[in-house]
Amino acid sequence: EYTIAQVNMQQSYGDGSNYFFLPDYMDLTEVYVVSSGTEGIAIEFEGNPVGAEPDTSYVLEENKEYTIDADDKKVSFRIMKGSALPTVWLDTDGQMDYVHEDKANMVNGEIFVLSGTGETEYAGNVESFHGRGNSSWTAAKKSYTFKTEGMVSLLGMTPGRSWVLQGGALDASCMRNKIFMDMAVECGLENSVDSEWVDLYIDHEYYGCYLLTEKITVASGRLEIGDLE
């Protein structure tokens, strides 16, 4: 089982508040504040010193404001939990700045896919991970493509090796792609693309709700479309 060791604090675009966004399946009785990599800095949580070991004397609550004091600098935050969606955890070892410099910049990493109830559906290496899109690549919420080391089935979808994480940044409803993909499946259209909603975390940071789909590629064993020349 994949254990979440860290989720980064994020600031909202609207009111400037700080949040920790956690999956719905996370049990807050097992979430703690600890001090890591902060040697020489005095840290307090709700007025109590924070050490390197979890303090189990309190239980965190959702949507309650807490305060961390680090060297007299106070930061308030809330813990929020998402809906019961599957979760994709991707670890690029801190290479996302490089990925965002150019959509052709490719990195590798590890991926963990969990069901909406927290069971590990897949865990393995990512052979390649890079940006995707043309005009959508200029949006703050970007789309990505990744390739697993072999043919795998993610969240019950048809086994594949190349996958897409669609951000849907240019669709205000964030629903159009999913609606038409599901319509194709319901109408019995052959070779329709599978898709599933997921919450995406990359390098401990919550990236938002994404549509995970099979990537359309030219390869053997695919739909016959004739001579491409």
Side-chain angles (χ1 to χ4, degrees), residues 116-173:
T117 53
E119 289 81 18
T120 301
E121 297 271 341
Y122 175 77
N125 293 325
V126 171
E127 190 175 274
S128 63
F129 176 84
H130 59 90
R132 174 183 175 84
N134 293 310
S135 57
S136 63
W137 183 244
T138 63
K141 186 181 181 184
K142 303 184 187 301
S143 296
Y144 307 97
T145 295
F146 68 91
K147 183 178 290 186
T148 54
E149 287 189 319
M151 299 285 286
V152 300
S153 175
L154 301 182
L155 301 174
M157 294 187 283
T158 303
R161 188 182 179 197
S162 296
W163 301 86
V164 172
L165 287 161
Q166 291 185 353
L170 302 184
D171 174 15
S173 71

Side-chain angles (χ1 to χ4, degrees), residues 81-199:
K81 295 176 70 175
S83 56
L85 290 177
T87 310
V88 171
W89 297 86
L90 186 68
D91 185 1
T92 73
D93 197 23
Q95 300 183 85
M96 287 307 293
D97 285 344
Y98 172 70
V99 171
H100 289 155
E101 286 177 3
D102 191 299
K103 67 179 180 182
N105 289 351
M106 193 176 299
V107 301
N108 54 25
E110 294 181 288
I111 190 170
F112 304 85
V113 181
L114 279 68
S115 70
T117 53
E119 289 81 18
T120 301
E121 297 271 341
Y122 175 77
N125 293 325
V126 171
E127 190 175 274
S128 63
F129 176 84
H130 59 90
R132 174 183 175 84
N134 293 310
S135 57
S136 63
W137 183 244
T138 63
K141 186 181 181 184
K142 303 184 187 301
S143 296
Y144 307 97
T145 295
F146 68 91
K147 183 178 290 186
T148 54
E149 287 189 319
M151 299 285 286
V152 300
S153 175
L154 301 182
L155 301 174
M157 294 187 283
T158 303
R161 188 182 179 197
S162 296
W163 301 86
V164 172
L165 287 161
Q166 291 185 353
L170 302 184
D171 174 15
S173 71
C174 296
M175 292 291 293
R176 291 188 308 210
N177 286 329
K178 180 61 172 171
I179 288 173
F180 282 101
M181 288 178 182
D182 285 354
M183 285 177 60
V185 173
E186 290 297 322
C187 290
L189 185 64
E190 292 186 7
N191 301 290
S192 297
V193 176
D194 290 331
S195 64
E196 294 290 342
W197 291 115
V198 298
D199 277 327

Side-chain angles (χ1 to χ4, degrees), residues 195-209:
S195 64
E196 294 290 342
W197 291 115
V198 298
D199 277 327
L200 176 63
Y201 291 80
I202 303 179
D203 294 337
H204 312 296
E205 182 174 333
Y206 179 59
Y207 272 57
C209 181

Side-chain angles (χ1 to χ4, degrees), residues 29 49 72 161 193 225:
T29 63
D72 297 325
R161 188 182 179 197
V193 176
I225 58 177

Side-chain angles (χ1 to χ4, degrees), residues 42 44 67-76:
E44 293 186 349
T67 300
I68 290 180
D69 192 327
D71 277 356
D72 297 325
K73 294 181 180 179
K74 292 187 178 182
V75 177
S76 297

